[in-house]
Amino acid sequence: MKKKGMALGALLMAVAITGYSVSGTYAKYISKIDLTDEARVAKWGLSDEEKTIDLFADSYSVNGKGVYVKSLNCKTVDGNEVCDNVVAPGTTGSYDLNISGTMETRYTLNIDLKNENDFVVYYKVDGNNKVTEMKTASELTNEAGELVTTGYTEYHPLRYTITKGNNEALAIPVNNVTFADLKKALNTYNSSNNYEPGVLNKNYKLTWTWATQNKDLDGDEIDKLDTYAGQHLSEEGDTVKFKVSVTATQVAEDYAKAN
């Protein structure tokens, strides 16, 4: 009996140990998923937001041969001769404007041309459409500093054209217009554009010409106005100075997750 009791005790102990071992490794499904999400601030960059436009020159040639218009007001700066930029009847120039950057939001572009002055001659004509009187802005400015141009018509020697870099016209008429009309057309263009996120790379060409023809006056009358401009605007030290300011603005909306 003693041996049987010892054997039963050993068996019970073995069962107890085995039961503990099995219960400790009891099989079950275990799945683990680590969820991670992150975001960064969307890229927003516009290069060269403001620059001086290189439109004018100190000399002009015909088909790259010979100098027909040249500034004689020059000085030496750091060993180099620097002359005033000038314009005259028949001259022309252009500037390639490149706007680039990276935009990760929808945006609009506002292109604003700024000038501190514009060449203009004010004139009157008689019943035969012949020029009878010509004045500059300074001559028509009263003691209170007000420009009084009643009865006068404006003559703007410089005319402007804007095209896209591939020579395509914009969706607005900007061809051979005055600076004021150029500004007005650009405002219309600015209000109509809306671009999707992406790499921004747009090219425009701004061209100016001192035209020698005018639809409102014949050649002799235009010659009078051009001559008056050359004699008086130059004496008064009038200049045309341009800057271009390009503003990119995120389209203001409350955004939800896109599908």
Side-chain angles (χ1 to χ4, degrees):
M1 290 294 295
K2 186 175 181 180
K3 288 185 179 179
K4 287 183 178 179
M6 292 178 61
L8 179 61
L11 177 61
L12 291 173
M13 183 178 293
V15 170
I17 293 174
T18 303
Y20 177 81
S21 176
V22 170
S23 66
T25 60
Y26 191 77
K28 54 185 175 290
Y29 288 123
I30 300 176
S31 296
K32 182 180 180 181
I33 301 175
D34 292 323
L35 299 177
T36 303
D37 193 9
E38 64 178 314
R40 56 175 171 74
V41 174
K43 289 184 179 180
W44 182 263
L46 186 64
S47 62
D48 295 331
E49 292 190 2
E50 186 163 324
K51 64 174 72 174
T52 300
I53 300 178
D54 184 18
L55 273 174
F56 307 107
D58 58 15
S59 62
Y60 301 85
S61 63
V62 177
N63 297 326
K65 300 177 181 179
V67 176
Y68 286 75
V69 177
K70 179 177 174 58
S71 170
L72 299 181
N73 186 15
C74 304
K75 57 185 177 182
T76 301
V77 178
D78 296 330
N80 298 315
E81 185 181 56
V82 178
C83 304
D84 289 345
N85 288 340
V86 294
V87 294
T91 56
T92 186
S94 63
Y95 176 74
D96 293 317
L97 171 63
N98 174 259
I99 305 172
S100 60
T102 300
M103 306 297 179
E104 289 189 331
T105 74
R106 185 178 286 273
Y107 62 96
T108 62
L109 277 180
N110 186 84
I111 305 172
D112 185 25
L113 290 175
K114 304 174 182 178
N115 74 329
E116 297 177 1
N117 193 15
D118 191 20
F119 293 135
V120 57
V121 173
Y122 300 88
Y123 69 94
K124 291 182 178 180
V125 296
D126 60 18
N128 296 317
N129 211 32
K130 302 296 183 181
V131 175
T132 59
E133 187 178 344
M134 295 173 285
K135 298 288 184 181
T136 63
S138 61
E139 293 174 320
L140 293 176
T141 301
N142 61 24
E143 294 181 356
E146 301 168 331
L147 179 62
V148 181
T149 61
T150 305
Y152 287 88
T153 300
E154 296 181 7
Y155 169 64
H156 296 264
L158 301 187
R159 298 286 175 149
Y160 302 90
T161 298
I162 288 186
T163 58
K164 293 182 180 178
N166 55 6
N167 241 1
E168 292 182 9
L170 298 182
I172 49 176
V174 196
N175 183 35
N176 194 35
V177 299
T178 66
F179 185 83
D181 289 336
L182 175 67
K183 289 270 291 182
K184 186 185 300 183
L186 275 178
N187 288 338
T188 301
Y189 176 70
N190 290 334
S191 65
S192 65
N193 69 63
N194 191 313
Y195 302 103
E196 293 185 359
V199 176
L200 168 61
N201 188 14
K202 296 188 177 299
N203 297 281
Y204 303 90
K205 179 182 285 291
L206 173 63
T207 302
W208 66 269
T209 300
W210 186 324
T212 55
Q213 295 181 347
N214 185 291
K215 63 183 178 61
D216 299 320
L217 298 169
D218 64 33
D220 290 339
E221 305 310 303
I222 293 298
D223 289 346
K224 290 180 184 178
L225 295 173
D226 286 342
T227 301
Y228 191 85
Q231 292 174 338
H232 293 78
L233 296 179
S234 59
E235 288 179 359
E236 295 175 5
D238 284 1
T239 61
V240 177
K241 184 178 181 180
F242 281 89
K243 278 192 175 182
V244 59
S245 178
V246 180
T247 304
T249 303
Q250 179 185 351
V251 175
E253 298 286 351
D254 290 328
Y255 304 106
K257 186 176 179 181
N259 294 328

Coordinates of all heavy atoms in Angstrom, one line a residue, residues 97-150:
L97 N 9.8 87.7 -68.4 CA 9.5 87.5 -67.0 C 9.2 86.1 -66.7 O 8.3 85.5 -67.3 CB 8.3 88.4 -66.6 CG 7.7 88.2 -65.2 CD1 8.7 88.5 -64.1 CD2 6.4 89.0 -65.0
N98 N 10.0 85.5 -65.8 CA 9.8 84.1 -65.4 C 9.3 84.0 -64.0 O 9.9 84.7 -63.1 CB 11.1 83.3 -65.6 CG 10.9 81.9 -65.0 OD1 11.4 81.5 -63.9 ND2 10.2 81.0 -65.8
I99 N 8.2 83.4 -63.7 CA 7.7 83.2 -62.3 C 7.8 81.7 -62.0 O 7.2 80.9 -62.7 CB 6.2 83.7 -62.3 CG1 6.1 85.1 -62.8 CG2 5.7 83.6 -60.8 CD1 4.7 85.6 -62.9
S100 N 8.5 81.4 -60.9 CA 8.7 80.0 -60.6 C 8.5 79.8 -59.1 O 8.6 80.7 -58.3 CB 10.0 79.5 -61.1 OG 11.1 80.2 -60.4
G101 N 8.3 78.5 -58.7 CA 8.1 78.2 -57.3 C 7.5 76.9 -57.2 O 7.2 76.2 -58.1
T102 N 7.2 76.5 -55.9 CA 6.5 75.2 -55.7 C 5.3 75.5 -54.8 O 5.5 76.1 -53.7 CB 7.5 74.2 -54.9 OG1 8.6 73.9 -55.8 CG2 6.7 72.9 -54.7
M103 N 4.1 75.1 -55.2 CA 2.9 75.4 -54.5 C 2.2 74.0 -54.3 O 1.8 73.4 -55.2 CB 2.0 76.3 -55.3 CG 2.7 77.6 -55.7 SD 3.2 78.6 -54.3 CE 3.9 80.0 -55.1
E104 N 1.9 73.7 -53.0 CA 1.2 72.5 -52.7 C -0.2 72.8 -52.2 O -0.9 72.0 -51.6 CB 2.0 71.7 -51.6 CG 3.2 71.0 -52.2 CD 3.9 70.0 -51.3 OE1 3.7 70.2 -50.1 OE2 4.5 69.1 -51.8
T105 N -0.7 74.0 -52.6 CA -2.1 74.3 -52.4 C -2.6 75.0 -53.7 O -1.8 75.5 -54.5 CB -2.3 75.3 -51.2 OG1 -1.8 76.6 -51.6 CG2 -1.5 74.9 -50.0
R106 N -3.9 75.0 -53.8 CA -4.5 75.8 -54.9 C -4.2 77.3 -54.7 O -4.2 77.7 -53.5 CB -6.0 75.5 -55.1 CG -6.6 76.2 -56.3 CD -8.1 75.8 -56.3 NE -8.3 74.5 -56.8 CZ -8.4 74.1 -58.1 NH1 -8.3 75.0 -59.0 NH2 -8.6 72.8 -58.4
Y107 N -3.9 78.0 -55.8 CA -3.5 79.4 -55.6 C -3.9 80.3 -56.7 O -4.3 79.8 -57.8 CB -2.0 79.5 -55.4 CG -1.2 79.0 -56.6 CD1 -0.7 79.9 -57.5 CD2 -1.0 77.6 -56.8 CE1 0.0 79.4 -58.7 CE2 -0.3 77.2 -57.9 CZ 0.2 78.1 -58.8 OH 0.9 77.6 -59.9
T108 N -3.8 81.6 -56.5 CA -4.0 82.5 -57.6 C -2.7 83.3 -57.7 O -1.9 83.4 -56.8 CB -5.2 83.5 -57.3 OG1 -4.9 84.2 -56.1 CG2 -6.5 82.7 -57.1
L109 N -2.5 83.9 -58.9 CA -1.3 84.8 -59.1 C -1.8 86.2 -59.4 O -2.7 86.4 -60.2 CB -0.5 84.3 -60.3 CG 0.5 83.2 -60.1 CD1 1.2 82.8 -61.4 CD2 1.5 83.6 -59.0
N110 N -1.2 87.2 -58.8 CA -1.4 88.6 -59.0 C -0.2 89.2 -59.6 O 0.8 89.3 -58.9 CB -1.9 89.3 -57.8 CG -2.3 90.7 -58.0 OD1 -3.5 91.0 -58.4 ND2 -1.4 91.6 -57.9
I111 N -0.2 89.6 -60.8 CA 1.0 90.3 -61.5 C 0.7 91.8 -61.5 O -0.3 92.2 -62.2 CB 1.2 89.7 -62.9 CG1 1.4 88.2 -62.8 CG2 2.4 90.3 -63.5 CD1 1.4 87.5 -64.2
D112 N 1.5 92.5 -60.8 CA 1.2 94.0 -60.8 C 2.5 94.7 -61.3 O 3.6 94.6 -60.7 CB 0.9 94.4 -59.3 CG 0.6 95.9 -59.2 OD1 0.1 96.4 -60.2 OD2 0.8 96.4 -58.1
L113 N 2.3 95.5 -62.3 CA 3.3 96.3 -62.8 C 3.2 97.7 -62.2 O 2.2 98.3 -62.2 CB 3.2 96.4 -64.4 CG 3.6 95.2 -65.2 CD1 3.3 95.4 -66.6 CD2 5.0 94.8 -64.9
K114 N 4.3 98.2 -61.7 CA 4.3 99.5 -61.0 C 5.2 100.4 -61.8 O 6.3 100.1 -62.2 CB 4.8 99.3 -59.6 CG 4.1 98.3 -58.7 CD 4.7 98.1 -57.4 CE 4.0 97.1 -56.5 NZ 4.6 96.8 -55.2
N115 N 4.7 101.6 -61.9 CA 5.6 102.7 -62.5 C 5.4 104.0 -61.7 O 4.4 104.3 -61.2 CB 5.3 102.9 -64.0 CG 4.1 103.6 -64.2 OD1 3.1 103.5 -63.5 ND2 4.0 104.3 -65.3
E116 N 6.5 104.7 -61.6 CA 6.5 105.9 -60.9 C 6.1 107.1 -61.8 O 5.8 108.2 -61.4 CB 7.8 106.2 -60.2 CG 8.2 105.1 -59.2 CD 9.6 105.4 -58.6 OE1 10.3 106.4 -59.0 OE2 10.0 104.6 -57.8
N117 N 6.1 106.8 -63.1 CA 5.8 107.9 -64.1 C 5.6 107.3 -65.4 O 5.9 106.1 -65.6 CB 7.0 108.9 -64.1 CG 6.7 110.2 -64.9 OD1 5.5 110.5 -65.1 ND2 7.6 110.9 -65.3
D118 N 5.0 108.0 -66.3 CA 4.7 107.5 -67.7 C 4.9 108.7 -68.6 O 4.5 109.8 -68.2 CB 3.4 106.9 -67.8 CG 3.2 106.2 -69.1 OD1 4.2 105.8 -69.7 OD2 2.1 105.9 -69.5
F119 N 5.5 108.5 -69.7 CA 5.6 109.6 -70.7 C 4.3 110.0 -71.3 O 3.6 109.1 -71.8 CB 6.6 109.2 -71.8 CG 8.0 109.0 -71.4 CD1 8.8 108.0 -71.8 CD2 8.6 110.0 -70.5 CE1 10.1 107.8 -71.4 CE2 9.9 109.8 -70.1 CZ 10.7 108.7 -70.5
V120 N 3.9 111.2 -71.2 CA 2.6 111.6 -71.8 C 2.7 113.1 -72.1 O 3.3 113.9 -71.4 CB 1.5 111.4 -70.7 CG1 1.7 112.1 -69.4 CG2 0.1 111.8 -71.3
V121 N 2.1 113.4 -73.3 CA 2.0 114.8 -73.8 C 0.5 115.0 -73.9 O -0.3 114.2 -74.5 CB 2.7 115.0 -75.1 CG1 2.4 116.4 -75.7 CG2 4.2 114.9 -74.9
Y122 N 0.0 116.2 -73.4 CA -1.4 116.6 -73.5 C -1.6 117.5 -74.7 O -0.8 118.5 -74.8 CB -1.9 117.2 -72.2 CG -1.8 116.3 -71.1 CD1 -0.6 116.2 -70.3 CD2 -2.8 115.4 -70.7 CE1 -0.5 115.3 -69.2 CE2 -2.7 114.6 -69.6 CZ -1.5 114.5 -68.9 OH -1.4 113.7 -67.8
Y123 N -2.6 117.3 -75.5 CA -2.7 118.2 -76.7 C -4.2 118.5 -77.0 O -5.1 117.8 -76.6 CB -2.1 117.5 -77.9 CG -2.8 116.3 -78.4 CD1 -3.7 116.3 -79.4 CD2 -2.5 115.0 -77.9 CE1 -4.4 115.2 -79.9 CE2 -3.2 113.9 -78.3 CZ -4.1 114.0 -79.3 OH -4.8 112.9 -79.8
K124 N -4.3 119.5 -77.8 CA -5.7 119.9 -78.4 C -5.6 120.0 -79.9 O -4.5 120.2 -80.4 CB -6.1 121.3 -77.8 CG -6.4 121.3 -76.3 CD -6.9 122.7 -75.9 CE -7.2 122.7 -74.4 NZ -7.7 124.1 -74.0
V125 N -6.7 119.8 -80.6 CA -6.7 119.8 -82.0 C -7.8 120.8 -82.4 O -8.8 121.1 -81.7 CB -7.0 118.4 -82.6 CG1 -5.8 117.5 -82.3 CG2 -8.3 117.8 -82.1
D126 N -7.7 121.2 -83.7 CA -8.8 122.1 -84.3 C -9.8 121.2 -85.0 O -9.8 120.0 -84.9 CB -8.2 123.2 -85.2 CG -7.4 122.6 -86.3 OD1 -7.6 121.4 -86.7 OD2 -6.6 123.3 -86.9
G127 N -10.7 121.9 -85.8 CA -11.7 121.2 -86.5 C -11.2 120.3 -87.6 O -11.9 119.4 -88.0
N128 N -10.0 120.5 -88.0 CA -9.3 119.6 -89.0 C -8.4 118.6 -88.5 O -7.7 117.9 -89.2 CB -8.5 120.5 -90.0 CG -9.4 121.5 -90.8 OD1 -10.5 121.1 -91.2 ND2 -9.0 122.7 -90.9
N129 N -8.6 118.4 -87.1 CA -7.8 117.4 -86.4 C -6.3 117.6 -86.5 O -5.5 116.7 -86.5 CB -8.1 115.9 -87.0 CG -7.9 114.9 -85.9 OD1 -8.2 115.1 -84.7 ND2 -7.5 113.7 -86.3
K130 N -6.0 118.9 -86.5 CA -4.6 119.4 -86.5 C -4.2 119.8 -85.1 O -5.0 120.5 -84.4 CB -4.3 120.5 -87.5 CG -4.7 120.2 -88.9 CD -3.8 119.0 -89.5 CE -4.1 118.8 -90.9 NZ -3.2 117.6 -91.5
V131 N -3.0 119.4 -84.6 CA -2.6 119.8 -83.2 C -2.4 121.3 -83.1 O -1.6 121.9 -83.9 CB -1.3 119.0 -82.9 CG1 -0.8 119.5 -81.5 CG2 -1.6 117.5 -82.9
T132 N -3.0 121.9 -82.2 CA -2.9 123.3 -82.0 C -2.2 123.7 -80.7 O -1.7 124.8 -80.6 CB -4.3 124.0 -82.0 OG1 -5.1 123.4 -80.9 CG2 -5.0 123.8 -83.3
E133 N -2.2 122.8 -79.7 CA -1.6 123.1 -78.4 C -1.1 121.9 -77.8 O -1.7 120.8 -77.9 CB -2.6 123.8 -77.5 CG -2.1 124.3 -76.2 CD -3.1 125.0 -75.4 OE1 -4.2 125.3 -75.9 OE2 -2.9 125.1 -74.1
M134 N 0.1 122.0 -77.2 CA 0.7 120.8 -76.5 C 1.2 121.2 -75.1 O 1.8 122.3 -75.0 CB 1.9 120.3 -77.4 CG 1.4 119.7 -78.7 SD 2.8 119.2 -79.8 CE 3.4 120.9 -80.3
K135 N 1.1 120.4 -74.1 CA 1.5 120.6 -72.8 C 2.0 119.4 -72.1 O 1.6 118.3 -72.5 CB 0.4 121.2 -71.9 CG -0.2 122.5 -72.4 CD 0.7 123.7 -72.1 CE 0.1 125.0 -72.5 NZ 1.0 126.1 -72.3
T136 N 2.9 119.5 -71.2 CA 3.4 118.4 -70.3 C 2.6 118.4 -69.0 O 1.9 119.4 -68.7 CB 4.9 118.5 -70.0 OG1 5.1 119.6 -69.3 CG2 5.7 118.5 -71.3
A137 N 2.7 117.4 -68.2 CA 2.0 117.3 -67.0 C 2.4 118.4 -66.0 O 1.6 119.0 -65.3 CB 2.2 115.9 -66.3
S138 N 3.7 118.7 -66.0 CA 4.1 119.8 -65.1 C 3.6 121.2 -65.5 O 3.3 122.0 -64.7 CB 5.7 119.9 -65.1 OG 6.2 120.1 -66.4
E139 N 3.4 121.3 -66.8 CA 2.8 122.6 -67.3 C 1.3 122.7 -67.0 O 0.8 123.9 -66.9 CB 3.0 122.7 -68.8 CG 4.5 122.9 -69.2 CD 4.7 122.8 -70.7 OE1 4.0 122.0 -71.4 OE2 5.5 123.6 -71.2
L140 N 0.6 121.6 -66.8 CA -0.8 121.6 -66.5 C -1.1 121.4 -65.0 O -2.2 121.2 -64.6 CB -1.5 120.6 -67.3 CG -1.5 120.8 -68.8 CD1 -2.2 119.6 -69.5 CD2 -2.2 122.1 -69.2
T141 N -0.1 121.4 -64.2 CA -0.2 121.3 -62.7 C -0.3 122.7 -62.1 O 0.5 123.5 -62.3 CB 0.9 120.5 -62.1 OG1 1.0 119.2 -62.7 CG2 0.7 120.3 -60.6
N142 N -1.4 122.9 -61.3 CA -1.6 124.2 -60.7 C -0.9 124.3 -59.4 O -0.2 123.4 -59.0 CB -3.1 124.5 -60.5 CG -3.8 123.5 -59.6 OD1 -3.1 122.8 -58.8 ND2 -5.1 123.3 -59.7
E143 N -1.0 125.5 -58.7 CA -0.3 125.8 -57.5 C -0.6 124.8 -56.4 O 0.2 124.6 -55.5 CB -0.5 127.2 -57.1 CG 0.1 128.2 -58.1 CD -0.1 129.7 -57.6 OE1 -0.8 129.9 -56.6 OE2 0.4 130.6 -58.3
A144 N -1.8 124.3 -56.4 CA -2.3 123.3 -55.4 C -1.8 121.9 -55.7 O -2.0 121.0 -54.9 CB -3.8 123.3 -55.3
G145 N -1.0 121.7 -56.8 CA -0.5 120.4 -57.1 C -1.4 119.5 -57.8 O -1.2 118.3 -58.0
E146 N -2.5 120.1 -58.3 CA -3.5 119.3 -59.1 C -3.3 119.4 -60.6 O -2.9 120.4 -61.1 CB -4.9 119.9 -58.8 CG -5.3 119.9 -57.3 CD -6.5 120.7 -57.0 OE1 -6.8 121.7 -57.7 OE2 -7.2 120.4 -56.1
L147 N -3.4 118.3 -61.2 CA -3.2 118.2 -62.7 C -4.6 118.5 -63.3 O -5.5 117.8 -63.2 CB -2.7 116.8 -63.1 CG -2.5 116.5 -64.6 CD1 -1.5 117.4 -65.1 CD2 -2.2 115.1 -64.8
V148 N -4.6 119.6 -64.1 CA -5.8 120.0 -64.7 C -5.7 119.8 -66.2 O -4.9 120.5 -66.9 CB -6.1 121.5 -64.4 CG1 -7.4 121.9 -65.1 CG2 -6.2 121.7 -62.9
T149 N -6.4 118.8 -66.8 CA -6.3 118.4 -68.2 C -7.6 118.6 -68.9 O -7.7 118.0 -70.0 CB -5.8 117.0 -68.3 OG1 -6.8 116.1 -67.7 CG2 -4.5 116.8 -67.6
T150 N -8.5 119.4 -68.4 CA -9.8 119.6 -69.1 C -9.6 120.1 -70.5 O -8.9 121.1 -70.7 CB -10.7 120.5 -68.3 OG1 -10.8 120.1 -67.0 CG2 -12.0 120.7 -68.9

